[in-house]
Amino acid sequence: AASTSSFGPAPMEEELSAAIASTITTFNSNNATSTTPSLSQEEAAAEAMSHFLLSNFDASSKETLPILFKLIDNLVKNPSNPKFQQINLSNNAIRNKVASKNGAIAFLESCGFQRGMDMGVSKLLFPENGSLENLLNCRVHLVKAAREVDLDNIPPAPRPPPATSSINTNNSSSS
């Protein structure tokens, strides 16, 4: 059995998260014009979810996927609510059912969450200029993963509120 730390993601998770963050940063800073291959946020989400499924048993995946759905769906439905813009990594349920699972944090980072600290607590933070469209695209990979492990009760896709929020509803990196 693989051991996981109760203080954060597994070491492999850290490496994957760093690679995805670097790839997304390169992609964004070069606006997809780089001559070196890099992944889009959607490709990074697919890769992270694939890593998650390959690294965790079906039972473990079935426990984590509903939480990932809830985290993304709550933010899509309530993008301006600070409660849903941050994920407390020291919360017992998040630490045990999400952060300890290889690929789960990397998946959330590919959805636009960024590691940060808030009042001395390690969190994943969704930026004010985060893309709801990207969140919904990442959610598609969650649905595929849920089907792959025969998860019961896949929640229907949430509808974002009317575009009055300060959070972007589209991806601004078009060419």
Side-chain angles (χ1 to χ4, degrees), residues 7-31:
F7 298 105
M12 183 87 164
E13 175 79 9
E14 295 283 343
E15 294 168 17
L16 185 61
S17 293
I20 288 173
S22 172
T23 299
I24 290 170
T25 301
T26 300
F27 178 80
N28 289 339
S29 66
N30 294 332
N31 199 19

Side-chain angles (χ1 to χ4, degrees), residues 75-80 132 158-165 169:
L75 183 56
V76 169
K77 290 187 280 190
N78 305 287
S80 60
L132 291 181
R159 292 186 182 264
T164 57
S165 168
T169 55

Side-chain angles (χ1 to χ4, degrees), residues 27 31-32 170-175:
F27 178 80
N31 199 19
N170 62 20
N171 189 349
S172 60
S173 63
S174 59
S175 323

Side-chain angles (χ1 to χ4, degrees), residues 36-112:
T36 58
S38 62
L39 299 176
S40 69
Q41 285 185 309
E42 187 169 348
E43 291 168 327
E47 186 173 299
M49 187 49 61
S50 176
H51 177 70
F52 169 77
L53 289 175
L54 291 172
S55 300
N56 299 286
F57 294 108
D58 283 356
S60 179
S61 298
K62 285 183 176 183
E63 185 178 71
T64 302
L65 289 171
I67 296 169
L68 294 174
F69 274 115
K70 188 163 191 76
L71 293 169
I72 289 174
D73 291 355
N74 283 342
L75 183 56
V76 169
K77 290 187 280 190
N78 305 287
S80 60
N81 187 334
K83 175 182 175 180
F84 301 125
Q85 293 173 347
Q86 54 186 317
I87 301 168
N88 181 346
L89 295 175
S90 66
N91 173 284
N92 273 340
I94 296 296
R95 186 176 64 239
N96 295 331
K97 296 179 181 179
V98 178
S100 66
K101 309 301 182 203
N102 283 325
I105 296 294
F107 175 75
L108 289 167
E109 288 175 335
S110 71
C111 294

